[in-house]
Structure formats: structure tokens, C-alpha cells
């Protein structure tokens, strides 16, 4: 039986990854994810995990080494943040095209210009279209659970895709929380050994990463998209299994007090917990507020969203990244597009919040709900509480 | 082959005899789309013969990946992976780590499979340099072979740090004011020696037995090894395709590209260079990329080659392996 412990979430993520018995881990230091690989190297050095830990010379090489290792059929894990994730970008769509289930934890952090080590979602949003399954954790427990779940999701024969799990830098990576840590026996029961579809070995020769001419390139892209869209079925199955075994329920979009809500906030990541408190406060004041917490970012859960917004008049979507010169934040434009065909759709407004670690408090969420209800917004999106 | 050299009487006929010992098995097969007279595809074929089947190849983006892997075809009868341009050494180190972990854990057959990464001069000396340095420094059990045709041939003959002094390329052209590439070729084998790589060698397919012996030796090393293989590119060098082998021989006979190996820090010439080296002119004159050179410029190159040669000979004559140095200390 797993036991309830108090642990820094980054360390807990590393413990969870180790429980999945990865064969190869390659990582390069960058704040704020660093505690994850640090702790994994500890676990390997102490002999608790039999794995190759490669101290690569860059993130580009971290993801490249994982790609090569995964090609041999090894279970692989890496972690990064911010510029490190951007430095990996060249390789990310290749990993998904090669259908290699590399698992990556991202301690989300702002992108430089100016340099900033604190949390927002700019780093992962740049990688939105790389063909990876992408999940967002809201707290320590979700982080631990998801790290274990994603190996099963990515390695499933109907998926065979890399997966990233996003946990907010500092707000999650560096916070100590009570977490129920599954034990090895439980994880072994949940997660079968990885059986690769094809592997680099002379006993079964294969060429991986061949040249795609115009006659085949488009088909390769389509098949990757089909795989990613279809992965949702497996994700839901795996979450059902998880709930059955561990008793904790996961949904693509988690609704909070939305049954009779007039207005709902939308969040991804750790700010969902703050927003919950804001919803409770607003309810006390008689405002029919609710909250939608997006946990599955790719493949985007269109049907779940449509179901979740039924009856809601106003949707206040928060974004922690900017699409410069675009229609609003990336979450907002996704949601607005997703609901375009819904006849009775809510009014959708967008607040860009919490950039580069800017604090957002309960009162701020309450303020957003009030302003969204009154419709007093600079259209179509607003940098919330930002000067100039 | 190695046993034959141990018998002094067989040495004279060895050169005639040795090719008969080369495996007839092909791991890099015909039907690929390399140019006529491509030195690189020939070198890869020879390399694969020397490596044998227990090998995984990681290929950097470049001519060889393009000509050999046009989906749904492949010229590779070895497990092969291509990911991107700058990361062959990093991917290869992941392959090595994966095989190592899986073998240790009993998930694959318990035998040694060598990870071999290959790239061109651009993918090795320029954009892949950091990944190469990292992989070599981390001491993966991996052989890296750089096939150096001295420019970015795949993208159309642009200058790389492997391009020779004054060679004309499409980004360092021979103009009225600037006569081609303005700097000397980067000495990557020397940089690999500085990484304390246990086995470093230079090679060309013009000396196939020498090259294959080096590949075999490098394969045996339990750790990182590096081979720098000079390969002719008729398209980029502006040379007739039938001169592919001849040019490699001239590169040696002029001292421009000596064939040597560095084992545990000790330098050794592996193919004899004539006492009186041929003038560099003999190597340069048939090549379109050098046709703009004036006698004065050729003289500058000659002097540099002479000095490089002497520098190498000092190392060949004076260097000691770490093993020898260790033995001296204990004496």
C-alpha cells in the first residue's frame, strides 16, 4: 500500500518516475525542473533504480539521447523547463513522428526576453503542435499520478507517442505537499513492462527516421494526427484503471461547482487550486460561479468541453502565455474555436495572467469573474493587472 | 588479416592477399542514390563490412541519409536510425545507453552490439560538434566516424570548418577580391585526441584495408573511438568521378591528409608516405574547387602542409602511450 508522505513535488515526481523502472534517463540542468533529474540521479546512485543516467551536455542532446535509447526499446525519461524545452524543439516532432514513447516532465517556466526563471506556460505553448500527448497537473498528487499514468498511455500499442506532463515551476516543483506515494508493487501491477513495436537491434533489423518525399510526407503527418486524436480513448481507459486501482479520478476537464453556474473560470495547472477558493468565496456572495480545470491539453478534449460548458453564460478563460499579435492566449483561442459550432455557446472572454511568475491571488480571480460578468473588458483579451 | 601481418614472410604479398579476406556480405547495399564516384558511400560500405552485423548505426542528416533511406526503401542491412542534423553523437550515445541497460537487465540478448554514429563534416565538425564532444567526454562505448568531404555537399557545396584553405565553395566562392575559403581546415582528429579518446584514426576509402582495419580496431575499444575519414565528392570538388580513389591517394602522397592512428595517446603512421612527398600541386591541380589558385597561393599551402607534416612527425616520433608512461613511473 502506498503511504501518505510530505515531499517536495519535484522529488515526488522523480520518485514516481523511478517507480516506473525507466532504463535510460538523460537530462540537463535548468531551473526549475532540476530537482527532478537530480533526485533521479540520487536514486540511481544509491542503487534503488537500475538505469543509465546520462549527464548530457545540453537539452538538445537530452531529448536526442532519449530518442536513441527509446529506439532500442528502452523506457526513457527526461525533464526540462523553458529555454531547455525550446532548445529541444527541433527533436520533439521527430520523436512523435517516430512513435517513440519518451516521457518528459516539464517544470513550466517563462521564456526569455527578458530572462525570467519563474512560472508561466509559454514554454509548452511553443511546443503545442509537436505531436506529443500533453497533460497539466494542478498539484503534487496529480503530478505523481500522472507521471505513472503517462508511461502506460505513451507505450500503449494504440498510442505509441511521447508524452509530456506539465507541472508549474516553483508553484509545484518546489512546494512540499502531502502526497500519497504508491509503492513498487502497486505500480508494477498497474504498469506492464514496455514491449516496443520495433527496436534497434541486429536480431530484427529496422531503419528508423527515413526520408519522406512529398508522396508520403503528408500521410506521415496525417497518421501522427490520427494517432494523437485516437490516444484520447486510451487516456480515458488508463484513467479508469487508475481510478479503479488507486481511487483517484481523472478527467480531461475537471468541473468544479459548475452544475448551476452562470459564469465559469477556466484554468490549467496549479492556479486551479487558487481559483477554487475564489469560486467558493463568490458562491458565499451569491455569485453563481464555477471552474473548469483543463488537465488534457493534447489531444484537446473538444467533446468534454462542449459538455462542461452547458448552461454556462460566460466563460472567463485564463491564459499563462501570449500569442503575440494573435487572437488571445492559446487556451482561449482553442476554446473559442472549439465552441464556435455550438448553437448556445457562452460568451467567452480572455485574461492573460501570471506571466513570468506574476502572482495571482484569490481576490484577482474574484475580480475577473465580476468584470467578465459585467462585460467590461478591453476586447478581445486583456493582460490582467499589467501596466502600460 | 591481423594474423597475416604477424608473419613477416607474408607481409610482401599481404596487399594482394588481404582483399580476398574481406567479407562478401553487404550491409550497405546497392540501389541507393549516391552520385557516381561518391567516396562517402564507398567508405560507408567498407565501414559496414568491417563492423559486421552486431552494430547499430546512427546517421546524422546529410547526403548519406538522403541517398540511402528514401521511404519505403532502405540501403541499410544494419539497424539504423536518423533523427536530425546536429545530434548523431547524442542519439548514438542514447542507443549505447539503451542497449547497455537492456542487456544488463536481461531484456535483450546477452552480447555486445556496438553503437556507431556517423556524420559528414558539417554534422560533425560544425553543428554536431557539441554533441560529439559531449558523447566522447562521457565515454560511451561508441565509435564515431566523420565522413569529411570538406563542405556541406548535401545542401549545395557550402563552406564548413572542414573546407580547406582557399577552396572555392558556394558560400566562400573564389571571387576577384576574396579567393575562396579564408581559413585553414579545423583539425578535428587532434581535438578528439585532446578528449582522451582511446582510439583516434584518420582514413580514406582509397586505402580500403587500412580503413577497415581501423574500423575493426575502433570497434574493439570498450569506450569512445573516433575515425576521421576523408572522402571525395566529385560534385563538390568539381572532379571527374573516376578520380575518386586517386584523389585520396594523392592526399596521402602529398602529405595533405596523412593516415595515422593515435592509440592511448601514441601516434603511428599506418600507411607509408614517400620519403620525398609529392608537391601539393599534384593534389590540387585536378580539382575545380582549386582551379583559381595562383602559384603563390599554392606555395602558401605547400608551406603549411610541410609544417603540419613536421608537427605530426614529431608526434609520431616522440609520443608515448599512457601505458608506456605508466610503466616508466613504476620502474
Amino acid at each position: 500500500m502506498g503511504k501518505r508522505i510530505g515531499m517536495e513535488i519535484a522529488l515526488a515526481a522523480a520518485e514516481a518516475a523511478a517507480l516506473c523502472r525507466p532504463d535510460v534517463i538523460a537530462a540537463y540542468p535548468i531551473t526549475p525542473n532540476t530537482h527532478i533529474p537530480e533526485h533521479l540521479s540520487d536514486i540511481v546512485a544509491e542503487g534503488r533504480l537500475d538505469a543509465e543516467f546520462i549527464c548530457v551536455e545540453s537539452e538538445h542532446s537530452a531529448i536526442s539521447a532519449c530518442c536513441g535509447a527509446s529506439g532500442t526499446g528502452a523506457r526513457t525519461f527526461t525533464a526540462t523547463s523553458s529555454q531547455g524545452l525550446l532548445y529541444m524543439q527541433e527533436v520533439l516532432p521527430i520523436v512523435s513522428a517516430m512513435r517513440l514513447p519518451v516521457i518528459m516532465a516539464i517544470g513550466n517556466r517563462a521564456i526569455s526576453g527578458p530572462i525570467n526563471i519563474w512560472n508561466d506556460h509559454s514554454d509548452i505553448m511553443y511546443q503545442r503542435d509537436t505531436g506529443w500527448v500533453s497533460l497539466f497537473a494542478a498539484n503534487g498528487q496529480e503530478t505523481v499520478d500522472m507521471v505513472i499514468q503517462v508511461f502506460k498511455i505513451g507505450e500503449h500499442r494504440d498510442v505509441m507517442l511521447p508524452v509530456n506532463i506539465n507541472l508549474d515551476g516553483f508553484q509545484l516543483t518546489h512546494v512540499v505537499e502531502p502526497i500519497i506515494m504508491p509503492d513498487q508493487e502497486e505500480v508494477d501491477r498497474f504498469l506492464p513492462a514496455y514491449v516496443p513495436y520495433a527496436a534497434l537491434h541486429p536480431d530484427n533489423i529496422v531503419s528508423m527516421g527515413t526520408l519522406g518525399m512529398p508522396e508520403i510526407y503528408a500521410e506521415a503527418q496525417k497518421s501522427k494526427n490520427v494517432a494523437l486524436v485516437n490516444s484520447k480513448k486510451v487516456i480515458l481507459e488508463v484513467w479508469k484503471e487508475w481510478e479503479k486501482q488507486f481511487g483517484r479520478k481523472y478527467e480531461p476537464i475537471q468541473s468544479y461547482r459548475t452544475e448551476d453556474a452562470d459564469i465559469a473560470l477556466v484554468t490549467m495547472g496549479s492556479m486551479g487550486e487558487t481559483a477554487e477558493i475564489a469560486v467558493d468565496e463568490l458562491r458565499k456572495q451569491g455569485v453563481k460561479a464555477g471552474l473548469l480545470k483543463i488537465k488534457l491539453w493534447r489531444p484537446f478534449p473538444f467533446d468534454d468541453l462542449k459538455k462542461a460548458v452547458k448552461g454556462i453564460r460566460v466563460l472567463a478563460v485564463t491564459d499563462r502565455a501570449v500569442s503575440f499579435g494573435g487572437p488571445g492566449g492559446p487556451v482561449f483561442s482553442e476554446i473559442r474555436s472549439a465552441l464556435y459550432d455550438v448553437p448556445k455557446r457562452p460568451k467567452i472572454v480572455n485574461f492573460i495572467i501570471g506571466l513570468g511568475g506574476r502572482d495571482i491571488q484569490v481576490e484577482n480571480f474574484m475580480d475577473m469573474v465580476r468584470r467578465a460578468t459585467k462585460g467590461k473588458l478591453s476586447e478581445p483579451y486583456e493582460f490582467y493587472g499589467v501596466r502600460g | 588479416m591481423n594474423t597475416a601481418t604477424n608473419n613477416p614472410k607474408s607481409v610482401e604479398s599481404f596487399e594482394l592477399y588481404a582483399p580476398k579476406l574481406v567479407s562478401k556480405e553487404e550491409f550497405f547495399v546497392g540501389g541507393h542514390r549516391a552520385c557516381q564516384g561518391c567516396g562517402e558511400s564507398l567508405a560507408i560500405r567498407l565501414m559496414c563490412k568491417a563492423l559486421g552485423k552486431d552494430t547499430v548505426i546512427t546517421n546524422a542528416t546529410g547526403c548519406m541519409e538522403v541517398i540511402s533511406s528514401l521511404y519505403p526503401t532502405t540501403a541499410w542491412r544494419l539497424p539504423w536510425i536518423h533523427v536530425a542534423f546536429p545530434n548523431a553523437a547524442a542519439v548514438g550515445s542514447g542507443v549505447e545507453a539503451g542497449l547497455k541497460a537492456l542487456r544488463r537487465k536481461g531484456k535483450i540478448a546477452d552480447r555486445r552490439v556496438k553503437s556507431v554514429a556517423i556524420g559528414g563534416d558539417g554534422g560533425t565538425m560544425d553543428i554536431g560538434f557539441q554533441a560529439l564532444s559531449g558523447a566522447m567526454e562521457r565515454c560511451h562505448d561508441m565509435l564515431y566516424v566523420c565522413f569529411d568531404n570538406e563542405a556541406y555537399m548535401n545542401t549545395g557545396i557550402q563552406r564548413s570548418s572542414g573546407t580547406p584553405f582557399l577552396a572555392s565553395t558556394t558560400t566562400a566562392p573564389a571571387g576577384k577580391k576574396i579567393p575562396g575559403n579564408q581559413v585553414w581546415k579545423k583539425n578535428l582528429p587532434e581535438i578528439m585526441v585532446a578528449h582522451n579518446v582511446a582510439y583516434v584514426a584518420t582514413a580514406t576509402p582509397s586505402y580500403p584495408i587500412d580503413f577497415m582495419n581501423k574500423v575493426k580496431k575502433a570497434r574493439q575499444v570498450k569506450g569512445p573511438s573516433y575515425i576521421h575519414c576523408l572522402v571525395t565528392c566529385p560534385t563538390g570538388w568539381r572532379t571527374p568521378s573516376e578520380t575518386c580513389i586517386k584523389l585520396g591517394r594523392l592526399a596521402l602522397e602529398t602529405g595533405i591528409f596523412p593516415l595515422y592512428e593515435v592509440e592511448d595517446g601514441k601516434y603511428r603512421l599506418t600507411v607509408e608516405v614517400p620519403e620525398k612527398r609529392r608537391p601539393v600541386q599534384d593534389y590540387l591541380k585536378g580539382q575545380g574547387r582549386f582551379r583559381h589558385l595562383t602559384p603563390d597561393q599554392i606555395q602558401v599551402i605547400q608551406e603549411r602542409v610541410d609544417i603540419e607534416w613536421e608537427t605530426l612527425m614529431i608526434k609520431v616520433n616522440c609520443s608515448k602511450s599512457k601505458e608506456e608512461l605508466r610503466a616508466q613511473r613504476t620502474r
Side-chain angles (χ1 to χ4, degrees):
Chain A
M1 269 294 281
K3 61 178 177 190
R4 193 175 154 90
I5 53 168
M7 188 179 263
E8 187 193 283
I9 294 170
L11 306 191
E15 289 286 342
L19 286 170
C20 299
R21 304 184 190 273
D23 302 302
V24 176
I25 301 153
Y28 184 80
I30 183 169
T31 304
N33 92 93
T34 321
H35 289 183
I36 301 172
E38 269 178 18
H39 192 59
L40 273 165
S41 73
D42 263 352
I43 295 171
V44 173
E46 295 296 336
R48 287 203 283 135
L49 170 67
D50 183 5
E52 289 295 306
F53 188 96
I54 316 178
C55 289
V56 280
E57 82 300 329
S58 71
E59 290 89 353
H60 196 285
S61 286
I63 190 65
S64 300
C66 282
C67 183
S70 188
T72 68
R75 184 173 278 171
T76 59
F77 182 82
T78 185
T80 192
S81 297
S82 185
Q83 307 302 117
L85 186 61
L86 267 61
Y87 194 25
M88 285 183 180
Q89 188 179 33
E90 183 195 18
V91 185
L92 298 179
I94 306 175
V95 178
S96 56
M98 292 168 86
R99 307 291 296 273
L100 296 172
V102 173
I103 302 303
M104 170 157 62
I106 303 169
N108 298 109
R109 164 183 151 183
I111 290 303
S112 275
I115 188 168
N116 172 297
I117 61 165
W118 294 275
N119 167 233
D120 68 29
H121 295 163
S122 310
D123 52 5
I124 183 60
M125 289 306 161
Y126 278 97
Q127 320 308 326
R128 185 187 66 182
D129 297 336
T130 52
W132 287 50
V133 174
S134 192
L135 303 176
F136 274 78
N139 55 43
Q141 189 66 58
E142 286 188 8
T143 303
V144 164
D145 293 354
M146 283 180 178
V147 165
I148 301 165
Q149 293 159 4
V150 295
F151 281 98
K152 191 161 189 173
I153 293 166
E155 291 169 3
H156 195 287
R157 200 46 73 81
D158 294 343
V159 179
M160 297 201 296
L161 284 171
V163 187
N164 59 58
I165 154 177
N166 293 271
L167 57 154
D168 286 335
F170 295 110
Q171 268 88 344
L172 292 183
T173 56
H174 286 55
V175 169
V176 176
E177 278 188 8
I179 290 165
I180 300 167
M181 184 64 71
D183 65 25
Q184 189 66 65
E185 186 275 322
E186 286 174 323
V187 174
D188 287 346
R189 189 145 44 90
F190 175 77
L191 179 65
Y194 172 41
V195 183
Y197 177 77
L200 295 166
H201 195 276
D203 290 347
N204 195 4
I205 296 166
V206 63
S207 292
M208 292 188 181
T210 56
L211 176 71
M213 297 290 277
E215 294 77 19
I216 199 68
Y217 179 85
E219 278 73 14
Q221 300 310 303
K222 186 179 176 186
S223 79
K224 180 155 85 172
N225 189 55
V226 167
L228 190 53
V229 169
N230 289 348
S231 72
K232 193 181 158 201
K233 185 168 167 278
V234 174
I235 295 167
L236 297 181
E237 277 168 23
V238 169
W239 277 347
K240 272 269 172 292
E241 288 170 41
W242 184 269
E243 189 184 351
K244 205 171 156 202
Q245 188 180 336
F246 295 94
R248 292 185 289 277
K249 185 178 181 175
Y250 284 84
E251 298 167 291
I253 296 175
Q254 194 185 352
S255 301
Y256 182 74
R257 303 187 79 165
T258 51
E259 304 78 28
D260 61 339
D262 283 333
I263 177 162
L265 284 158
V266 180
T267 62
M268 288 209 305
S270 64
M271 278 196 181
E273 309 239 308
T274 315
E276 274 186 18
I277 303 172
V279 166
D280 292 344
E281 290 297 317
L282 286 161
R283 287 271 173 175
K284 279 182 206 161
Q285 295 173 8
V287 180
K288 284 187 173 175
L291 168 67
L292 300 177
K293 294 191 284 187
I294 299 176
K295 302 209 181 297
L296 180 61
W297 173 235
R298 277 294 181 274
F300 191 80
F302 292 98
D303 295 343
D304 305 75
L305 178 74
K306 284 173 189 167
K307 247 181 255 164
V309 300
K310 271 197 184 126
I312 292 169
R313 285 194 304 108
V314 183
L315 213 51
V317 180
T318 62
D319 260 291
R320 304 201 57 198
V322 185
S323 171
F324 296 98
V331 182
F332 169 69
S333 55
E334 205 78 335
I335 288 181
R336 201 158 63 155
S337 161
L339 298 179
Y340 181 78
D341 291 327
V342 177
K344 273 193 77 180
R345 60 174 182 261
K347 177 180 167 57
I348 311 167
V349 299
N350 187 206
F351 295 100
I352 292 170
I353 65 170
L355 296 181
R358 182 71 67 90
D359 198 21
I360 295 291
Q361 302 181 348
V362 173
E363 176 51 42
N364 299 127
F365 279 115
M366 293 170 69
D367 181 44
M368 283 178 231
V369 168
R370 285 191 209 104
R371 293 188 42 222
T373 317
K374 287 177 191 153
K376 284 183 183 168
L377 286 177
S378 45
E379 297 283 336
Y381 58 91
E382 178 178 316
F383 282 77
Y384 182 79
V386 177
R387 289 161 297 211
Chain B
M1 269 177 271
N2 288 338
T3 49
T5 52
N6 290 340
N7 179 356
K9 282 182 189 164
S10 71
V11 170
E12 275 176 35
S13 60
F14 178 67
E15 292 224 336
L16 290 172
Y17 180 54
K20 296 194 192 304
L21 294 175
V22 174
S23 162
K24 294 240 178 345
E25 194 170 2
E26 299 291 349
F27 296 100
F28 183 73
V29 300
H32 59 68
R33 285 130 173 106
C35 304
Q36 277 188 17
C38 168
E40 191 170 359
S41 54
L42 170 61
I44 285 185
R45 179 172 158 238
L46 297 172
M47 175 192 76
C48 291
K49 277 176 181 285
L51 287 170
K53 80 173 185 63
D54 280 343
T55 306
V56 177
I57 304 282
T58 303
N59 201 157
T61 304
C63 284
M64 290 305 106
E65 158 265 323
V66 171
I67 61 105
S68 71
S69 80
L70 209 77
Y71 185 87
T73 67
T74 180
W76 295 91
R77 283 193 190 151
L78 291 173
W80 178 91
I81 181 170
H82 156 256
V83 178
F85 197 9
N87 62 357
V91 174
S93 64
V95 167
E96 184 260 1
L99 292 170
K100 194 168 160 189
L102 294 174
R103 185 182 173 192
R104 188 172 63 228
K105 293 176 162 187
K107 294 180 184 175
I108 55 170
D110 183 21
R111 67 175 199 271
R112 185 162 180 250
V113 174
K114 186 84 177 184
S115 171
V116 178
I118 60 174
D121 46 298
T124 307
M125 301 167 77
D126 290 349
I127 200 168
F129 185 59
Q130 174 181 306
L132 174 67
S133 175
M136 291 290 141
E137 165 270 320
R138 292 192 300 270
C139 286
H140 293 278
D141 183 9
M142 180 175 86
L143 163 63
Y144 192 102
V145 186
C146 171
F147 294 100
D148 179 7
N149 56 18
E150 305 197 310
Y152 290 87
M153 300 313 185
N154 188 40
T155 44
I157 326 169
Q158 293 85 13
R159 181 255 175 211
S160 81
S161 63
T163 302
F165 182 57
L166 298 183
S168 182
T169 65
T170 54
T171 51
K176 283 201 184 82
K177 195 172 170 201
I178 309 170
N181 184 40
Q182 289 299 287
V183 290
W184 298 91
K185 184 182 177 76
K186 188 195 270 185
N187 189 341
L188 194 55
E190 202 57 33
I191 298 169
M192 289 297 104
V193 172
H195 278 64
N196 279 321
V197 171
Y199 184 78
V200 176
T202 61
T204 86
S206 301
Y207 295 89
I209 303 298
D210 176 70
F211 175 42
M212 285 192 283
N213 281 341
K214 284 169 174 168
V215 171
K216 285 185 176 177
K217 220 169 194 179
R219 194 191 195 290
Q220 290 312 313
V221 172
K222 301 258 189 317
S225 50
Y226 177 83
I227 296 176
H228 196 96
C229 187
L230 181 74
V231 288
T232 320
C233 174
T235 313
W237 291 15
R238 316 286 193 207
T239 50
S241 31
E242 69 271 18
T243 57
C244 167
I245 301 301
K246 188 177 145 199
L247 282 167
R249 291 189 172 253
L250 284 171
L252 175 98
E253 289 163 14
T254 54
I256 284 177
F257 194 82
L259 297 179
Y260 63 94
E261 62 184 11
V262 189
E263 259 182 295
D264 195 28
K266 187 173 173 64
Y267 288 69
R268 188 175 78 85
L269 290 182
T270 59
V271 178
E272 207 174 312
V273 176
E275 186 84 24
K276 189 167 166 16
R277 280 176 288 120
R278 293 175 77 140
V280 295
Q281 165 83 5
D282 289 2
Y283 173 71
L284 304 173
K285 70 183 171 197
Q287 301 184 43
R289 60 178 177 159
F290 293 120
R291 71 171 169 204
H292 58 287
L293 296 191
T294 63
D296 286 353
Q297 288 165 340
I298 291 173
Q299 191 49 38
V300 172
I301 294 173
Q302 183 66 61
E303 278 169 23
R304 172 79 176 216
V305 168
D306 290 345
I307 288 169
E308 295 280 346
W309 172 258
E310 281 165 30
T311 309
L312 177 65
M313 288 315 289
I314 291 170
K315 287 172 186 161
V316 168
N317 293 327
C318 305
S319 63
K320 285 183 173 162
S321 71
K322 293 194 173 62
E323 192 52 48
E324 285 172 318
L325 293 170
R326 221 170 283 131
Q328 276 180 6
R329 277 168 62 88
T330 50
R331 227 177 281 146

